[in-house]
Amino acid sequence: MAVTANKIIIIAENKINNAIISLLGDASEVATLPLSNVQFQDNEEIARINSTSACILIAWGKKVALNSISLYRHNLSNTATIRVRHFLSADGSGTPHYDSTVFDAIPKKTLAELEWGIDSYIASAFDDWHIRFSSLHHDNFVSRSTIVDIVDDNNSDGYIDIARIYAGKRLTPAFNFSYGHGLTWFNNDQQTRLAGGGMHTTKSTALRRLHFNMSWLTEADANEFSKMRREAGNADDIFISMFPGVGGTTERDRTMACVLVNNSEITNNFHNNSTHDIVAEEV
């Protein structure tokens, strides 16, 4: 049975990789941490902007189809805002044909998760989390350039860091993944039993693994998953959000930059229906 929450979103073909990215206005990038770093999946290579406000111009080089964008591993505060505009011009000039208007970069805690009397009105599920991301999903638009405006006056770091940007046409199947999906935290912790009976441990970073089955793929959706498997393989990073727009820890825990780690076939089990098993690990 398919999960009935907001449908899964996958950005597999990341258009940002071939774009030209620059800053408009007074903000500047750190020379050793340029904006081009957001085009690579190496998390050690962040982009840093010497300001708490920035106007980022993304020139796609040609017309591209866009309906999703996510800024991943950033340091934006709970009060930061973002605005995304798409243009048919090559340089962000003229009138945008899509304008998101200003929206919160960091979603607030859901009512069920608020600790009343303790949390502030801007409390977020990201407050105790190691990764911050901001996503926007909208209708399909053709664009030659995009401007992303960021305003973060309360950023205590005094600068903006972004490790990766994902942008493109999302893969969202007609029917969602099935119940039985899983989230696993895994690590490379080392344990050594001591002579006295104690345990010596060496702690490592905990990472996530998502496992879900697409049991109700139409022929068109099966072809899209086949394309993802062919192009991304088990090497290129992709963006998965299993519960987009749900908010809170449910969306946070099951949204990640990842690589596919299994090699599952796309099985046609009856007319116009296929199944496909996905296992992805965080990067």
Side-chain angles (χ1 to χ4, degrees), residues 194-230:
L194 304 177
M199 180 77 75
H200 173 75
T201 61
T202 303
K203 190 172 180 62
S204 63
T205 301
L207 298 171
R208 292 170 289 167
R209 179 186 298 118
L210 297 177
H211 180 203
F212 54 92
N213 188 269
M214 307 302 304
S215 300
W216 310 100
L217 292 177
T218 65
E219 182 177 355
D221 288 335
N223 290 338
E224 288 299 315
F225 274 85
S226 177
K227 179 182 178 183
M228 177 186 71
R229 285 290 188 175
R230 183 181 72 251

Side-chain angles (χ1 to χ4, degrees), residues 102-148:
V102 173
F103 62 93
D104 291 336
I106 302 296
K108 306 305 182 283
K109 281 187 174 181
T110 63
L111 288 176
E113 293 172 340
L114 277 173
E115 293 188 72
W116 297 99
I118 296 177
D119 285 335
S120 70
Y121 73 97
I122 61 169
S124 169
F126 291 91
D127 289 344
D128 61 349
W129 192 247
H130 62 301
I131 295 173
R132 290 186 163 227
F133 59 84
S134 304
S135 299
L136 173 68
H137 309 295
H138 53 70
D139 292 337
N140 291 327
F141 285 92
V142 173
S143 173
R144 293 185 65 199
S145 62
T146 297
I147 291 179
V148 179

Side-chain angles (χ1 to χ4, degrees), residues 48-80:
R48 177 165 295 173
I49 301 170
N50 279 320
S51 176
T52 57
S53 297
C55 184
I56 302 173
L57 170 64
I58 305 171
W60 302 109
K62 60 181 180 179
K63 289 183 178 180
V64 296
L66 300 171
N67 57 22
S68 286
I69 184 169
S70 182
L71 312 185
Y72 197 77
R73 288 184 183 269
H74 61 61
N75 69 332
L76 300 183
S77 73
N78 289 5
T79 59

Side-chain angles (χ1 to χ4, degrees), residues 21 66 161 190 214 236 279:
I21 311 171
L66 300 171
D161 279 352
Q190 301 295 318
M214 307 302 304
D236 291 348
V279 182

Side-chain angles (χ1 to χ4, degrees), residues 11 33 56 165 181 252:
I11 305 177
L33 299 172
I56 302 173
I165 295 178
H181 57 87
R252 180 200 69 184

Side-chain angles (χ1 to χ4, degrees), residues 125-276:
F126 291 91
D127 289 344
D128 61 349
W129 192 247
H130 62 301
I131 295 173
R132 290 186 163 227
F133 59 84
S134 304
S135 299
L136 173 68
H137 309 295
H138 53 70
D139 292 337
N140 291 327
F141 285 92
V142 173
S143 173
R144 293 185 65 199
S145 62
T146 297
I147 291 179
V148 179
D149 295 297
I150 302 172
V151 178
D152 192 9
D153 294 334
N154 294 319
N155 190 317
S156 59
D157 294 326
Y159 53 80
I160 295 173
D161 279 352
I162 307 173
R164 190 76 161 110
I165 295 178
Y166 294 91
K169 190 175 180 180
R170 63 183 176 267
L171 170 54
T172 298
F175 302 97
N176 215 1
F177 53 85
S178 301
Y179 284 104
H181 57 87
L183 166 66
T184 302
W185 287 94
F186 69 97
N187 54 59
N188 293 317
D189 291 355
Q190 301 295 318
Q191 298 178 333
T192 303
R193 180 67 67 182
L194 304 177
M199 180 77 75
H200 173 75
T201 61
T202 303
K203 190 172 180 62
S204 63
T205 301
L207 298 171
R208 292 170 289 167
R209 179 186 298 118
L210 297 177
H211 180 203
F212 54 92
N213 188 269
M214 307 302 304
S215 300
W216 310 100
L217 292 177
T218 65
E219 182 177 355
D221 288 335
N223 290 338
E224 288 299 315
F225 274 85
S226 177
K227 179 182 178 183
M228 177 186 71
R229 285 290 188 175
R230 183 181 72 251
E231 295 183 352
N234 297 113
D236 291 348
D237 60 326
I238 63 175
F239 176 85
I240 293 179
S241 183
M242 293 183 68
F243 293 96
V246 171
T249 56
T250 297
E251 179 177 3
R252 180 200 69 184
D253 287 8
R254 293 162 180 82
T255 298
M256 67 183 192
C258 54
V259 294
L260 302 172
V261 296
N262 70 328
N263 290 295
S264 172
E265 71 176 14
I266 299 171
T267 305
N268 177 220
N269 56 343
F270 55 85
H271 177 67
N272 197 32
N273 192 82
S274 295
T275 65
H276 188 49

